[in-house]
Structure formats: C-alpha cells, structure tokens
Amino acid sequence: MKKAITLFLLIAIIGLVSSQIQTKDKAKAVVQKDTLKKDKTTIEPEIVFNDSMIVVKGVFKPYKSNVYASYYANKFNGRRTASGKKFDNTKYTAAHRKLPFGTKLRITNEANGKSIIVEVTDRGPFSRGREIDLTKKLLWRLHQTKAVALLKLKLK
C-alpha cells in the first residue's frame, strides 16, 4: 500500500513539473515585434531621383499640427532603438509614442515651410510637452540653426 501511494505521488509530481515546463516554453515562443499594429494598408511613397534632388511622391494624411519636437542627445549614437535598428544622429529618423515602426512622416516647419520625410524607428519622447523626437541633422536641416532646442512643427 505504501509503495502504491509513493508511486502515485511521484507520478503526480512528474506530471506537475512537466506541465510547468511546457507553459514556460510557450511563453518564450511568443515574440512581439511592435506594440502597435497597423490597422490599414499604407501607400508607400514613391521616391524619384532628379539630378541632385530627391522628390518623394505619395499620399500623406494630416496627423497633427502645432506640435513641439525635441532632438536626441549624442550619447544615444550607436545604441539600439526600440525597433532594433542602430541609432545614428546623422540620419532622418524619429521617435514617436504611438505610431508604428516604419511609418513615414512628412515633418514641416511652420515658420519657414521647409519639410523633410522621416521614418519612425523608436519610442519617445517621454516628456509631456513634446510630440516627436528627431535626429540632430534633421532638426538643423529644418531650422538651419544649431542652437535650437524646440521647434514648432506640422506633422503630415
């Protein structure tokens, strides 16, 4: 009788341990690439090269206007972004809290009308007053001064 009870408990313990191992493996198998899912199909802008000028043709839906942007510090160069790409302050990339990775945005400076197309590759900014983080090169290109910290923009 004691052997039967011991055998029953041993089988119950082995069954419990094996069921926990399977649930851990299942949890590891689920990998989320992006926290946000794209609802609609987006139209990819067509890039046309004319001599030394790059012209981007595409349909852009207005998103927000009168927003403030900030720029990344140099200490983030070479680090991985939330999308997994390496950050480079000399490229035209941006960080946004809600838009999916890979979303193309046309950023327009409302003061002088200059606009540049960027791609969302990171999450942020984590400050309430800012809508988007831009790279330094992009911000300087829009404003044409190195001493700017805030810039009023129009997102399309």
Side-chain angles (χ1 to χ4, degrees), residues 1-12:
M1 184 72 174
K2 288 184 179 182
K3 287 183 181 180
I5 293 173
T6 309
L7 184 62
F8 177 73
L9 289 176
L10 184 62
I11 292 172

Side-chain angles (χ1 to χ4, degrees), residues 66-84:
N66 294 330
V67 298
Y68 286 98
S70 56
Y71 63 88
Y72 282 95
N74 283 332
K75 70 178 183 178
F76 295 112
N77 267 339
R79 292 188 187 177
R80 294 267 177 214
T81 61
S83 66

